[in-house]
Amino acid sequence: MKKTLRKTFTLGFLLIGIVVYGQEFNFDIQNTTLNEYLEMERKLGSEQIPNIRNHVSVENAQPIKFKREQKIISDLVGYYYFKKKDSTMSHILYEWDESLLTLKANTNDKKSKKYQKALIRKFNELETMIADIYGEPKTTGDLSNLKQANEKGGLKQNVKWFPNDSTEIEMYTSVSNYYEKKGMMTIAPTHRIRLYIRNTKKEAKVEPKLSEKRLNTLKIISSEFIETLGNKNIAKSKGYLSTLIIENVTDGQLNTLIENWDFTKETELVYSGIQVGLDGKIFTMLNFKYKDDFTEPAKELLKMVFDDNDKVVGIQPIKTQN
């Protein structure tokens, strides 16, 4: 009876350990929301920390960062990247890298064997945990010879899993005490683990289209705007401008515009289309020519760009080369 009871307690302890450890990471990025990831970090007692770098992205918002305290090795920093438009998870980065926390780059900061062994042990534990869920990874590199950490190139290993056609998990480590400085080039000791969970699902691209109804609306607005400029009514013309530009447009600029295009002459539309800005915003472009200009191409064009509120974000007279 005592032997059976001891086995029961051991099994219970192992199960508790697995549950707690499993709560530290969630690899199902397709079915986990940003709020669920943030709640996981709060339950772990993680500290939310500010971004010290601006992460430039058309689709992604600035990541939300958390720090978790670790023993022996560097504290863990988690970066949660999500889409601006709907907060869908884009990817996650978990990083154990002391140099990023101290902001000391290219220093001769060598680590003890105890630290290196602890970092490799952490990497192996993570690999085993993920392999238990998704099977053996695709592996390159080797961590078996610790002496190599003192040589150029150091110890490196990269492992990858592809749980499905829209998820990729990648983890790599670099363990090196090698330091070399030649002129502007520095090879500094590196001790890090990076674990990526990527949502690789491709969104179906929806090509923006300009409907006939909206085109007719913009043609009417353009005609009214042109007439207002032809009457040199600066105050009224500003009512057609988008909030994106109105604060930066001066009376002098509008007068210069009037001097470079004859707004009293009749015009006709020669081109309409959609253009996408660098930030992903959609704009509509209309090109007009003087109605009495029969040359091909027209000698002069008036380019007008509208935002999605049918307000003018750009207007430019163009002289073509014939």
Side-chain angles (χ1 to χ4, degrees):
M1 285 294 292
K2 289 183 179 178
K3 188 179 289 185
T4 304
L5 186 61
R6 185 167 62 250
K7 285 184 178 179
T8 303
F9 276 127
T10 303
L11 180 61
F13 176 77
L14 289 174
L15 286 174
I16 291 170
I18 291 169
V19 170
V20 172
Y21 196 75
Q23 287 177 344
E24 293 182 20
F25 305 96
N26 186 334
F27 302 101
D28 189 10
I29 194 170
Q30 298 291 340
N31 299 302
T32 307
T33 66
L34 173 63
N35 285 336
E36 287 171 331
Y37 277 116
L38 302 186
E39 183 61 24
M40 178 186 76
E41 291 290 349
R42 294 186 188 103
K43 287 182 177 179
L44 289 168
S46 305
E47 174 192 357
Q48 186 170 347
I49 58 176
N51 286 308
I52 56 175
R53 295 184 180 89
N54 184 37
H55 299 257
V56 180
S57 172
V58 173
E59 293 185 345
N60 292 328
Q62 294 298 304
I64 298 175
K65 293 171 58 177
F66 287 90
K67 185 175 74 171
R68 305 181 199 168
E69 290 186 1
Q70 307 283 288
K71 293 180 179 179
I72 304 178
I73 63 173
S74 169
D75 287 342
L76 163 63
V77 176
Y79 303 73
Y80 293 91
Y81 293 84
F82 56 97
K83 301 288 179 66
K84 293 176 183 176
K85 64 177 183 179
D86 58 8
S87 296
T88 300
M89 294 304 301
S90 175
H91 69 277
I92 303 165
L93 167 61
Y94 294 110
E95 192 165 45
W96 294 258
D97 189 343
E98 194 173 275
S99 66
L100 293 178
L101 291 171
T102 60
L103 298 180
K104 293 179 181 179
N106 296 330
T107 60
N108 192 6
D109 183 18
K110 295 182 179 180
K111 297 297 184 185
S112 65
K113 283 188 177 181
K114 180 181 179 181
Y115 187 101
Q116 292 177 329
K117 288 179 179 179
L119 192 70
I120 292 171
R121 185 164 58 249
K122 182 68 174 181
F123 183 89
N124 290 335
E125 287 174 356
L126 290 166
E127 181 183 357
T128 299
M129 179 186 68
I130 302 171
D132 285 345
I133 303 170
Y134 299 112
E136 291 302 310
K138 181 179 179 181
T139 304
T140 56
D142 181 68
L143 300 175
S144 60
N145 184 7
L146 192 57
K147 290 182 179 179
Q148 196 173 333
N150 296 316
E151 300 173 6
K152 192 171 184 178
L155 284 172
K156 293 179 181 178
Q157 189 164 4
N158 181 290
V159 288
K160 285 185 179 182
W161 292 265
F162 302 91
N164 52 55
D165 61 1
S166 55
T167 305
E168 177 185 290
I169 301 170
E170 179 181 12
M171 182 172 64
Y172 77 86
T173 187
S174 180
V175 182
S176 173
N177 266 337
Y178 185 82
Y179 180 82
E180 181 181 358
K181 186 173 178 63
K182 288 184 178 180
M184 298 293 290
M185 185 192 77
T186 301
I187 301 175
T190 305
H191 296 84
R192 72 164 62 99
I193 297 173
R194 284 180 180 164
L195 170 60
Y196 293 92
I197 306 168
R198 300 185 179 101
N199 179 356
T200 58
K201 185 177 181 180
K202 302 294 183 183
E203 292 186 8
K205 279 195 173 182
V206 179
E207 292 295 332
K209 293 182 179 180
L210 178 59
S211 68
E212 192 69 28
K213 181 180 179 181
R214 183 152 189 263
L215 176 59
N216 289 332
T217 298
L218 293 180
K219 285 167 68 176
I220 293 170
I221 294 171
S222 299
S223 178
E224 293 173 351
F225 184 41
I226 288 171
E227 183 180 355
T228 303
L229 289 170
N231 293 330
K232 298 184 179 180
N233 190 334
I234 300 299
K236 186 177 179 181
S237 66
K238 287 184 177 180
Y240 291 90
L241 302 181
S242 168
T243 54
L244 295 172
I245 65 167
I246 193 167
E247 291 185 1
N248 298 315
V249 175
T250 65
D251 291 359
Q253 288 173 322
L254 289 173
N255 282 319
T256 300
L257 174 65
I258 292 169
E259 291 172 3
N260 284 275
W261 182 268
D262 189 349
F263 288 96
T264 63
K265 292 180 67 173
E266 195 173 354
T267 60
E268 65 179 15
L269 182 69
V270 293
Y271 173 81
S272 63
I274 298 292
Q275 65 180 43
V276 182
L278 293 175
D279 58 357
K281 289 184 178 179
I282 305 298
F283 299 96
T284 304
M285 182 172 66
L286 304 183
N287 285 352
F288 296 88
K289 73 175 185 68
Y290 294 123
K291 196 168 185 178
D292 62 0
D293 183 354
F294 299 104
T295 58
E296 288 290 343
K299 292 180 181 179
E300 295 181 79
L301 293 173
L302 182 67
K303 177 181 177 181
M304 298 179 66
V305 182
F306 293 85
D307 64 15
D308 54 6
N309 293 315
D310 298 342
K311 294 290 187 178
V312 176
V313 294
I315 179 168
Q316 179 185 21
I318 301 170
K319 294 186 184 295
T320 62
Q321 297 291 329
N322 288 315

